Amino acid sequence: MLALIAIANVSWYLWGHEGSVGMTPHVPARNGADQVVQVAMTIAVDHRAMPLFAVLFGYGMVQFYRSRLDRGMEPRIVRAMMRRRHWAMLLLGLLHAALLFYGDILGAYAVAGLLMVWIFFGRRTRTLVIWIGVLVALMLLFALFSILSAISLVFFAPPEVIGSMESGSFGMGLVRDYAYGQPYLVSILARLAIWTMGLLPGALLLTPVSILVGWVAARHRVLDEPRRHTRLLARVAVGGIAIGWLGGVPDALLIVGAIPLPEAVGWAFSGLNSLAGIACGIGYAAAFGLLAVRLEGRAPARTTSGPDLDPGSETSSGASSGAGSGSGSGSGNGPPDKAARRERRREAAAADAARAPALRAYGIPSSTQARDPGAASTGASAARTGGLVRALSAVGQRSLTFYLLQSLLLAPLMADWGLGLGVHLSTAGAVGIALLVWLLSLPLAAWMDSRSVRGPAEMLLRRLTYGRLDPQGPRQP
């Protein structure tokens, strides 16, 4: 997954190029290879990597909350720890942006986490789903408004208006030059200013939907127990990726000149591409869940509900059963009819409404695997896991460290205050370097995993998160 981040980010380092390509981070193509790479990135990578990690960030928030409650901590203490964690992420994001990379995503995730936990974290699942729909509808309206506005300007605005818009535009090329074409101390101020201007738009416009989707999925343990949700994951993966890739086609056609729009309205499809990117990021997350099932080598298994989360309530087991079926989990009796599914969803919604906010945020209890022939082969499946898969898993367990390592390597390679490669490279060459940087992380992560060495960034974040609220936290394996 971090390969997508490396590929998406590397174009932001290409300073010293004349102009930019619409609202994309790309520089003008020099050859056919550049155009092919830019089209592929616009359709499958740009505006898609950030939503993918926002989904996983939201999912991880629920996992963090749930694991601390399972250890007997009070909900208010865990909420305080989450606030500390997000403030720590904001600090790390600020330092990352100032010192290395102005496109940092930690700050946007942190601000979104602070606001959304405060407003939404204990709300009913149905409320979260409604807000997902509202936010998607608003983004769709913005996308349509952008397209219609661009068409109106092209056909009805006087040529001098279009010309003045083009001459007064502030393109990505100028941003890159300020960030990486200046002496290091000067570039720090430029990167910090650019990051600050993009912080709130990134936090309030681009991440909330993905985080809410991550919360809903985590409450139903969709990625914790992917074998129970293979049908749902398959539908989301196919639908989300298809929508995401199709939604990127107009911008890709704009890049290659198949849609002849003036530079002044290069933003025409940016809203559509951002919305499609969210769908694609969610689809990618579902695809990785299916991949986890395949790597385990196990078929979808029947499950039984775990122990009641609230011993004094009769609704928790109902929520578990209803939520599981509403999430698309299969059963041995075949798929229920529509009326039965609606009834189960109503029961699940009623059970969720009856629970305390702390228990809503926790989600459904864990399910206990029913005994089946595949369960006995778990150890053998793990033993058969190849070195590449283990290395990828090791990178994922230290994702913050290796995300920052990418900037630590790419910035000195590309910037004028380093080797200055950014001014000489085009898109295809830069993507090649990004892939090499990502490949370098695999053996390093595998080595750290073989010696049970944690990522230094994860260790720092844990220490800033726990403080005195949970003295044993940083020493947990």
Side-chain angles (χ1 to χ4, degrees):
M1 288 182 283
L2 281 176
L4 295 176
I5 287 286
I7 294 171
N9 288 348
V10 72
S11 293
W12 298 44
Y13 292 99
L14 301 182
W15 61 279
H17 292 256
E18 288 291 335
S20 56
V21 183
M23 293 294 290
T24 72
H26 300 298
V27 298
R30 294 178 180 173
N31 49 52
D34 287 340
Q35 279 202 335
V36 170
V37 172
Q38 288 180 4
V39 167
M41 290 178 64
T42 301
I43 292 175
V45 179
D46 296 340
H47 303 295
R48 283 128 181 91
M50 185 175 179
L52 165 61
F53 279 86
V55 171
L56 300 179
F57 173 63
Y59 199 100
M61 290 164 66
V62 175
Q63 287 182 316
F64 179 92
Y65 179 84
R66 178 187 292 145
S67 66
R68 273 66 192 172
L69 259 61
D70 286 342
R71 288 165 52 186
M73 298 183 67
E74 297 182 16
R76 63 179 183 85
I77 297 296
V78 183
R79 293 280 289 265
M81 291 169 64
M82 294 174 72
R83 286 194 296 272
R84 288 176 59 101
R85 187 179 186 86
H86 295 146
W87 281 114
M89 286 181 60
L90 183 60
L91 175 61
L92 290 176
L94 184 149
L95 294 174
H96 179 216
L99 300 177
L100 295 169
F101 181 54
Y102 65 93
D104 164 81
I105 60 176
L106 297 178
Y109 288 176
V111 172
L114 285 167
L115 293 175
M116 294 182 65
V117 169
W118 174 47
I119 298 171
F120 290 115
F121 198 63
R123 302 281 185 174
R124 291 184 296 170
T125 301
R126 183 178 181 180
T127 301
L128 302 185
V129 173
I130 290 173
W131 272 101
I132 290 171
V134 169
L135 293 174
V136 168
L138 290 175
M139 294 186 70
L140 182 59
L141 288 175
F142 173 76
L144 293 175
F145 178 77
S146 298
I147 295 172
L148 293 176
S149 298
I151 293 174
S152 300
L153 286 170
V154 169
F155 285 99
F156 302 110
E160 56 269 19
V161 172
I162 298 294
S164 64
M165 291 174 64
E166 290 180 352
S167 61
S169 61
F170 186 80
M172 282 292 299
L174 193 57
V175 170
R176 286 188 287 258
D177 290 349
Y178 281 135
Y180 297 110
Q182 307 290 330
Y184 184 69
L185 293 180
V186 176
S187 70
I188 288 178
L189 298 177
R191 284 191 297 274
L192 192 57
I194 297 166
W195 176 80
T196 302
M197 288 188 293
L199 184 61
L200 286 181
L204 302 180
L205 301 177
L206 301 178
T207 60
V209 171
S210 299
I211 290 176
L212 288 175
V213 169
W215 286 0
V216 173
R219 289 185 180 189
H220 295 112
R221 300 180 183 264
V222 173
L223 298 180
D224 291 271
E225 302 170 357
R227 293 172 301 281
R228 297 182 60 226
H229 304 282
T230 52
R231 184 183 303 168
L232 172 69
L233 289 171
R235 290 174 177 174
V236 173
V238 172
I241 294 174
I243 292 172
W245 287 5
L246 289 173
V249 169
D251 253 348
L253 294 176
L254 188 62
I255 285 177
V256 299
I259 299 179
L261 289 179
E263 281 188 36
V265 293
W267 41 261
F269 302 112
S270 60
L272 175 63
N273 205 6
S274 296
L275 183 58
I278 292 174
C280 194
I282 296 169
Y284 285 163
F288 285 119
L290 289 173
L291 179 61
V293 174
R294 181 173 180 82
L295 291 176
E296 286 186 3
R298 299 173 62 185
R302 289 188 63 180
T303 56
T304 57
S305 296
D308 192 351
L309 179 64
D310 183 359
S313 170
E314 297 180 358
T315 61
S316 295
S317 60
S320 174
S321 172
S325 60
S327 300
S329 57
S331 68
N333 299 323
D337 58 25
K338 292 183 180 180
R341 286 199 297 268
R342 283 196 297 268
E343 181 61 27
R344 290 185 183 182
R345 284 196 291 267
R346 282 195 292 267
E347 291 175 359
D352 191 46
R355 304 172 82 190
L359 299 183
R360 293 181 198 145
Y362 182 98
I364 67 173
S366 179
S367 296
T368 304
Q369 283 288 157
R371 293 290 180 181
D372 60 62
S377 65
T378 305
S381 175
R384 290 195 302 268
T385 300
L388 177 60
V389 174
R390 289 196 297 271
L392 291 171
S393 176
V395 171
Q397 293 166 6
R398 299 159 181 82
S399 56
L400 179 58
T401 291
F402 286 101
Y403 167 67
L404 297 176
L405 179 64
Q406 290 179 1
S407 300
L408 189 62
L409 295 176
L410 287 173
L413 285 173
M414 300 294 187
D416 183 52
W417 45 263
L419 294 181
L421 297 181
V423 71
H424 304 292
L425 291 171
S426 59
T427 303
V431 168
I433 289 180
L435 287 174
L436 289 176
V437 168
W438 172 74
L439 288 172
L440 179 64
S441 68
L442 296 181
L444 179 58
W447 177 84
M448 295 174 70
D449 189 61
S450 67
R451 288 160 177 76
S452 300
V453 176
R454 281 190 175 185
E458 282 77 11
M459 293 176 63
L460 175 61
L461 182 60
R462 287 178 68 89
R463 292 189 179 279
L464 294 173
T465 296
Y466 288 102
R468 298 180 180 179
L469 297 176
D470 182 16
Q472 293 184 345
R475 294 195 293 270
Q476 295 296 314

